[in-house]
């Protein structure tokens, strides 16, 4: 497959045009496992969860390259920036996507309490297509307790809300909307999410230093 122009970039990967209707996401760091990620995506899609279609193969090999359906639409973050989505709506969509995901059975474990976890579900990993939201970037996906997934999304939003950037206010509203309905967030799930974020090598020093304030902000919504 020939790759075209670069159309997106993230903390660890780049996205290129590929064949008509497809894109190639290439991991720059070399630590990802695209084949395993594709298997998770196909598993949740088979259970009706909204993810892009994937297909095997890519010029860089299965560990670095993931070929997936090209989606048309803005990210949830971009939709908010363009005024097409309110922070309340964004938080509610994230909550709905988490609840829907945790209805999908695990693909390895037979424990009924274990579910597929995305572990990076935030507004820049949701594409708003004409057919509804689609969740991308499953490189962190695992199986486990849904409380960790809720904790991870909450911590990501709370880190932004605890900062002094332009997104702080909207992120605080998104966080409140995320946690407004009954969720599976637990003290243990939050503690695990905080530990993982602190140990994440892609976190800057400033982001790590925001974690205590982020934790307090989340706890203020839990009563």
């Amino acid at each position: 497959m020939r790759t075209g122009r670069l159309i997106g970039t993230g903390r660890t990967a780049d996205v290129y045009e590929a064949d008509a209707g497809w894109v190639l996401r290439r991991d720059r760091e070399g630590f990802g496992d695209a084949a395993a990620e594709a298997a998770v995506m196909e598993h949740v899609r088979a259970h009706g969860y909204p993810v892009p279609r994937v297909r095997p193969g890519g010029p860089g090999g299965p560990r670095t390259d993931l070929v997936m359906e090209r989606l048309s639409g803005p990210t949830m973050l971009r939709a908010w920036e363009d005024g097409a989505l309110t922070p309340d709506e964004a938080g509610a969509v994230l909550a709905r996507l988490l609840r829907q995901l945790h209805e999908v059975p695990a693909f390895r474990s037979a424990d009924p309490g274990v579910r597929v976890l995305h572990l990076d579900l935030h507004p820049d990993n949701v594409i708003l297509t004409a057919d509804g939201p689609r969740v991308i970037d499953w490189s962190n996906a695992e199986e486990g307790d849904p409380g960790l997934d809720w904790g991870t999304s909450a911590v990501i939003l709370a880190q932004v809300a605890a900062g002094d950037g332009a997104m702080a206010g909207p992120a605080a509203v998104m966080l409140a909307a995320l946690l407004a309905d009954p969720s599976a967030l637990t003290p243990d799930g939050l503690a695990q999410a905080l530990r993982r974020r602190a140990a994440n090598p892609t976190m800057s020093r400033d982001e790590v230093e925001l974690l205590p304030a982020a934790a307090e902000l989340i706890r203020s919504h839990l009563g």
Side-chain angles (χ1 to χ4, degrees), residues 178-205:
L178 174 74
L179 300 177
D181 292 327
S183 75
L185 179 59
T186 61
D188 183 60
L190 176 56
Q192 286 190 58
L194 290 165
R195 287 194 297 269
R196 288 183 178 221
R197 290 292 281 180
N200 189 328
T202 71
M203 292 288 98
S204 69
R205 180 177 178 179

Side-chain angles (χ1 to χ4, degrees), residues 69-84:
E69 175 187 7
R70 184 167 187 172
L71 302 176
S72 179
T75 65
M76 186 184 294
L77 178 60
R78 182 60 181 268
W80 168 77
E81 292 172 338
D82 291 343

Side-chain angles (χ1 to χ4, degrees), residues 12-13 18-19 21 34 36 56 75 78 84 108 142 147 152 160 162 182 184 186 189 191 206:
T12 62
D19 295 340
T75 65
R78 182 60 181 268
R108 292 192 184 95
E142 297 178 12
T152 301
V160 179
T186 61
D206 287 345

Side-chain angles (χ1 to χ4, degrees), residues 22-138:
W22 298 87
V23 296
L24 170 69
R25 196 205 66 205
R26 177 165 291 159
D27 175 24
R28 292 192 307 273
E29 307 298 324
F31 298 120
D33 188 340
E37 184 176 351
V40 174
M41 293 174 70
E42 284 297 279
H43 173 76
V44 298
R45 194 170 76 88
H47 286 82
Y49 197 74
V51 298
R53 290 176 296 141
V54 295
R55 77 187 206 197
R63 287 195 63 84
T64 59
D65 290 5
L66 178 65
V67 182
M68 59 186 171
E69 175 187 7
R70 184 167 187 172
L71 302 176
S72 179
T75 65
M76 186 184 294
L77 178 60
R78 182 60 181 268
W80 168 77
E81 292 172 338
D82 291 343
L85 191 72
T86 69
D88 273 315
E89 291 169 334
V93 170
L94 289 176
R96 185 175 76 245
L97 289 169
L98 283 170
R99 286 194 294 269
Q100 185 179 351
L101 176 60
H102 300 150
E103 293 174 358
V104 176
F107 53 94
R108 292 192 184 95
S109 175
D111 185 336
V114 171
R115 289 291 186 264
V116 178
L117 312 180
H118 184 278
L119 298 180
D120 199 21
L121 189 58
H122 57 74
D124 219 23
N125 277 340
V126 179
I127 306 292
L128 300 179
T129 74
D131 296 323
R134 296 289 182 272
V135 178
I136 61 171
D137 196 352
W138 292 77

